[in-house]
Amino acid sequence: MQTYTVALGDRSYPIYIGTGLLSNVELILPHLPQKRVALITNEIVAPLYLEKFRGALEQAGVKVVQVVLPDGEKYKSWATLNTIYDALLASHCERGTSIVALGGGVVGDISGFAAATYQRGVPFIQVPTTLLAQVDSSIGGKTAINHPLGKNMIGAFYQPRVVVSDMQTLLSLPERELKAGLAEIIKHGLIRDESFFSWLEVNIERILAREMDALAHAVFRSCEIKGAVVVSDERELGERALLNFGHTFGHAIENEFGYGTWLHGEAVATGMALACDLSVQMGMLGKSDSDRVCKLLVRAGLPIEVKGVAPERLRALMSVDKKARDGKLHFILLERIGSARIRADVSPSALDRTLAQVF
Amino acid sequence: MQTYTVALGDRSYPIYIGTGLLSNVELILPHLPQKRVALITNEIVAPLYLEKFRGALEQAGVKVVQVVLPDGEKYKSWATLNTIYDALLASHCERGTSIVALGGGVVGDISGFAAATYQRGVPFIQVPTTLLAQVDSSIGGKTAINHPLGKNMIGAFYQPRVVVSDMQTLLSLPERELKAGLAEIIKHGLIRDESFFSWLEVNIERILAREMDALAHAVFRSCEIKGAVVVSDERELGERALLNFGHTFGHAIENEFGYGTWLHGEAVATGMALACDLSVQMGMLGKSDSDRVCKLLVRAGLPIEVKGVAPERLRALMSVDKKARDGKLHFILLERIGSARIRADVSPSALDRTLAQVF
């Protein structure tokens, strides 16, 4: 087992990464103010891991209220959130009751927002069971639900007390979701660490074959990279925005096709390909580096183009992105593999040339 | 004008108290990251102050998106909150747009929660126009909406950037609401400052006659007392709970009769009378002190008893109170006028004797 600590002063917390951690509740117990948790998962994860995890908690004397949500991004909504509030209130959960999220990004995001807002905040614990959640959404305290007018528009910054990432849960993950998680891992190499990107080029097949040590290294290194960025800029006033590389385009794609049609990681992969192209259009990045990125994305089984939407439509969707400031779109662009920068000066013509590839 | 600063490190903020401050937007401008605000008020306050306040902002070059909510505690709901989100998104409000609450406690609480959660947090400014909001809800960063199963059950701790309390807005306040605000002022004397309580005994008629200097002193002293408690315990882990004196009973009363039938301050006044009685039953407080409290509440035009609800029903409602811990009710009781304590050891028989007065 490896441990990465997100160093945020009195809100610091450990991320445990290893195999078979789901039954090791000793990792969680020290973080519970009361031996009472609300365990939130979804209908896909429940039959796989709920009984085992719940049993381990109960054996340690923890009382468990369970909430099983429907599966899918479209349920990351107020209505679903309200079913969590209802269950917590119906069970008389108090401020000392911890909320534990067992599942992927949707479960983690909505459970985290419930924890941030139930009775103005209760302790929160993340047990991510998808690659995307382990390398991205469980790190850094972003919680949210979607609004009909935009993804993650309603949310809070709220750090968990502990994150437990069990690599064995990835064995049950559908192929497509594994690949989607890889998009964020690749992103971490792109924005901060060329050597990690190179390691991924060498080891991509081992990850796709779900070799435990390759997965654990990819997850741990992602936690280190994302964790360092989050620590330097918890509330996304500056550097943290680099983590949104590929996301301005990606969110627009997800918005256009409806949440869930494209997986988040797939939209981000295509978004990264477009952002690389825009970086080339802006004269920041060499064409060969852009090609190198696209090649790895394709080897990871990820899409790098989008069809069936007009360029003008994507542009309009991007303008409501949270990363907009003073009405100006800020793009995260690459200056080389391993180094990203925020640019507010993207010319309409450069963006046009990139969007011309969308059809 | 007087200034009290809530000293919360990098989240410190000033509370300005004076007359005619509504047109003095210089107090607000330094706190706006962009010259753009979403101004949230309600249908009662809008005809009185919206045009004047909005005009002053616009004259200073600030762009204003306005949202006028329906009036009343029953609109402190998810549905109303969603109308705020909708307006913000429809107007493409970004993270640099500040939310300004112009109104009473309901407007402040729901606007604050919108600010805490819109795009994971935007700057928030309070311009309270009721006595209750000026002496209580605008101080300390508690934001919330109600849930059908409980008041303020969904919320966040989120501090404003600045609070501007204009005493002149109290001239238009209905008599009943002025009195309800007085309940929290009296509470501040009771829990922390006997000399302020004595000052209130002497000056209660001047406050009821809305003499500006008496109002300003009562508001300022309340800000000092509540501010000091908040600074020592921002997230209500200990001492801040003292501010809930009278609220465990009070919330149960509000819950039973439906939000808005009793004003919050009226329920708190009756709750304080019951809490004083319970303090006497517990042998903590002399009967003469309890009588002295009730006498001032009555002089302030506030109720001190509740009819039409069974004692068992009130007890059940109290058990879902946020102040419950480990399933045990914690009561805030008085040991003398000017000093409150948290007690978790209230005997069922003592509580029975107090509730026997409810009929």
Side-chain angles (χ1 to χ4, degrees):
Chain A
M1 186 181 81
Q2 290 175 285
T3 306
Y4 174 76
T5 300
V6 183
L8 287 167
D10 58 0
R11 285 167 296 109
S12 293
Y13 57 94
I15 301 176
Y16 299 114
I17 298 153
T19 54
L21 303 189
L22 216 52
S23 43
N24 185 0
V25 292
E26 295 301 319
L27 300 173
I28 290 174
L29 294 179
H31 301 279
L32 304 180
Q34 287 176 15
K35 283 203 162 184
R36 185 151 195 225
V37 304
L39 180 50
I40 302 174
T41 187
N42 73 16
E43 62 196 7
I44 302 296
V45 177
L48 296 167
Y49 304 115
L50 180 57
E51 197 178 335
K52 179 183 176 185
F53 185 53
R54 182 184 173 134
L57 284 167
E58 286 177 337
Q59 208 157 11
V62 178
K63 282 187 196 158
V64 178
V65 173
Q66 78 182 38
V67 183
V68 180
L69 307 177
D71 176 52
E73 180 80 27
K74 72 173 167 172
Y75 295 104
K76 201 169 122 177
S77 63
W78 167 258
T80 308
L81 179 63
N82 223 22
T83 66
I84 298 174
Y85 293 144
D86 289 345
L88 294 170
L89 283 164
S91 303
H92 296 270
C93 290
E94 301 158 358
R95 284 186 176 164
T97 303
S98 301
I99 291 184
V100 181
L102 174 70
V106 171
V107 168
D109 282 8
I110 196 168
S111 302
F113 189 55
T117 55
Y118 181 68
Q119 300 203 2
R120 299 197 186 95
V122 297
F124 178 48
I125 290 166
Q126 290 259 34
V127 185
T129 62
T130 68
L131 189 57
L132 182 67
Q134 290 175 351
V135 302
D136 186 16
S137 56
S138 70
I139 313 156
K142 278 194 180 180
T143 72
I145 56 172
N146 298 327
H147 182 281
L149 294 179
K151 191 172 151 79
N152 293 329
M153 281 292 157
I154 313 303
F157 288 98
Y158 197 71
Q159 302 294 341
R161 299 279 178 106
V162 56
V163 181
V164 178
S165 284
D166 186 344
M167 294 303 108
Q168 280 185 340
T169 62
L170 301 180
L171 294 175
S172 59
L173 195 67
E175 188 78 7
R176 191 177 161 201
E177 288 196 45
L178 188 81
K179 291 169 177 167
L182 261 169
E184 299 284 358
I185 293 173
I186 292 168
K187 182 195 76 181
H188 290 136
L190 286 175
I191 63 168
R192 281 283 276 243
D193 185 352
E194 185 176 11
S195 72
F196 181 48
F197 184 86
S198 301
W199 180 87
L200 288 168
E201 289 181 313
V202 173
N203 292 279
I204 190 82
E205 279 79 18
R206 291 181 59 221
I207 293 174
L208 289 168
R210 307 189 199 209
E211 292 185 21
M212 288 286 119
D213 61 334
L215 282 169
H217 180 74
V219 171
F220 183 74
R221 190 72 194 104
S222 283
C223 289
E224 282 188 318
I225 292 172
K226 176 156 186 184
V229 174
V230 166
V231 164
S232 71
D233 177 25
E234 187 181 1
R235 289 187 167 258
E236 197 165 12
L237 304 171
E239 191 190 359
R240 183 162 178 169
L242 299 182
L243 293 169
N244 290 306
F245 180 63
H247 283 59
T248 299
F249 290 108
H251 284 162
I253 292 169
E254 286 181 284
N255 250 320
E256 171 62 16
F257 293 97
Y259 304 135
T261 310
W262 284 61
L263 294 182
H264 177 67
E266 294 167 346
V268 167
T270 300
M272 290 195 291
L274 291 168
C276 282
D277 184 84
L278 186 55
S279 306
V280 173
Q281 303 292 349
M282 291 286 289
M284 291 170 64
L285 185 73
K287 180 76 172 71
S288 61
D289 276 342
S290 177
D291 291 343
R292 192 178 154 198
V293 174
C294 289
K295 194 175 164 197
L296 182 60
L297 291 171
V298 169
R299 284 176 64 205
L302 288 161
I304 57 168
E305 56 181 32
V306 51
K307 299 176 187 179
V309 54
E312 313 79 59
R313 171 77 183 148
L314 274 195
R315 191 203 308 271
L317 286 166
M318 284 189 284
S319 75
V320 299
D321 195 87
K322 281 196 298 303
K323 263 60 71 180
R325 282 185 222 160
D326 293 314
K328 260 194 185 170
L329 264 181
H330 290 229
F331 282 92
I332 320 299
L333 299 179
L334 282 196
E335 49 189 9
R336 56 179 174 77
I337 289 173
S339 182
R341 280 181 58 196
I342 304 172
R343 292 285 290 260
D345 60 346
V346 169
S347 67
S349 63
L351 183 57
D352 279 346
R353 285 194 297 277
T354 289
L355 287 178
Q357 302 168 30
V358 173
F359 49 96
Chain B
M1 186 181 81
Q2 290 174 285
T3 306
Y4 173 76
T5 301
V6 183
L8 287 166
D10 58 0
R11 286 168 295 109
S12 293
Y13 57 94
I15 301 175
Y16 299 114
I17 298 153
T19 53
L21 303 188
L22 215 54
S23 43
N24 186 0
V25 291
E26 295 300 320
L27 300 173
I28 290 175
L29 294 178
H31 301 278
L32 304 180
Q34 287 176 15
K35 284 203 162 183
R36 186 152 194 225
V37 304
L39 179 51
I40 301 173
T41 188
N42 73 16
E43 61 196 7
I44 301 296
V45 177
L48 295 168
Y49 305 114
L50 179 57
E51 198 178 334
K52 179 183 176 184
F53 185 53
R54 182 185 173 135
L57 285 167
E58 286 178 336
Q59 208 157 10
V62 178
K63 281 188 196 157
V64 178
V65 173
Q66 77 182 39
V67 184
V68 179
L69 307 177
D71 176 53
E73 181 80 28
K74 72 173 168 173
Y75 294 105
K76 202 169 121 177
S77 64
W78 167 258
T80 308
L81 179 64
N82 222 23
T83 64
I84 298 175
Y85 292 145
D86 289 345
L88 294 169
L89 283 164
S91 304
H92 296 270
C93 290
E94 301 159 357
R95 285 186 175 164
T97 302
S98 301
I99 291 184
V100 181
L102 173 71
V106 171
V107 168
D109 282 8
I110 196 168
S111 302
F113 189 54
T117 56
Y118 181 67
Q119 300 204 2
R120 298 197 186 94
V122 297
F124 178 48
I125 290 165
Q126 291 258 34
V127 184
T129 61
T130 68
L131 188 57
L132 182 67
Q134 290 176 350
V135 302
D136 186 17
S137 56
S138 70
I139 314 156
K142 279 194 179 179
T143 72
I145 56 172
N146 298 326
H147 183 282
L149 294 179
K151 190 170 151 78
N152 293 329
M153 281 293 157
I154 313 304
F157 288 98
Y158 197 72
Q159 302 295 341
R161 300 280 179 105
V162 56
V163 180
V164 178
S165 285
D166 186 343
M167 294 304 108
Q168 280 184 341
T169 62
L170 301 180
L171 294 176
S172 59
L173 196 67
E175 188 78 8
R176 191 177 161 199
E177 288 197 45
L178 187 81
K179 290 169 178 169
L182 260 170
E184 299 284 359
I185 293 173
I186 292 169
K187 182 195 76 181
H188 291 135
L190 286 176
I191 63 169
R192 282 282 276 243
D193 185 350
E194 185 177 10
S195 71
F196 181 48
F197 184 85
S198 301
W199 181 88
L200 288 168
E201 290 181 313
V202 173
N203 292 280
I204 190 81
E205 278 80 19
R206 292 181 59 220
I207 294 174
L208 289 168
R210 308 189 199 208
E211 291 183 23
M212 288 287 117
D213 61 335
L215 283 169
H217 180 73
V219 171
F220 183 75
R221 190 71 196 106
S222 283
C223 289
E224 282 187 318
I225 292 173
K226 176 157 185 181
V229 174
V230 166
V231 164
S232 71
D233 177 25
E234 187 181 2
R235 288 187 168 259
E236 197 165 11
L237 304 171
E239 191 191 357
R240 183 163 179 169
L242 299 183
L243 294 169
N244 290 307
F245 180 63
H247 284 59
T248 300
F249 290 108
H251 284 162
I253 292 169
E254 286 180 284
N255 249 320
E256 171 62 17
F257 293 96
Y259 304 135
T261 309
W262 283 61
L263 294 182
H264 177 66
E266 293 167 347
V268 167
T270 300
M272 290 195 291
L274 290 169
C276 282
D277 184 82
L278 186 55
S279 305
V280 174
Q281 303 291 349
M282 291 286 289
M284 291 170 65
L285 185 72
K287 181 76 171 67
S288 61
D289 276 342
S290 178
D291 291 344
R292 191 179 156 198
V293 174
C294 289
K295 193 175 164 198
L296 181 60
L297 292 171
V298 169
R299 285 176 65 203
L302 289 160
I304 57 169
E305 55 182 32
V306 52
K307 299 176 186 178
V309 54
E312 312 80 59
R313 172 75 184 150
L314 273 194
R315 191 202 310 271
L317 286 167
M318 283 191 285
S319 76
V320 299
D321 194 86
K322 283 196 296 304
K323 264 58 72 180
R325 281 185 222 161
D326 294 313
K328 261 194 186 170
L329 264 181
H330 290 230
F331 282 92
I332 320 300
L333 299 179
L334 282 198
E335 48 189 8
R336 57 179 173 78
I337 289 174
S339 181
R341 281 181 57 196
I342 304 172
R343 292 286 290 261
D345 60 347
V346 169
S347 68
S349 62
L351 183 57
D352 280 346
R353 285 195 296 277
T354 290
L355 287 178
Q357 302 169 31
V358 172
F359 49 96

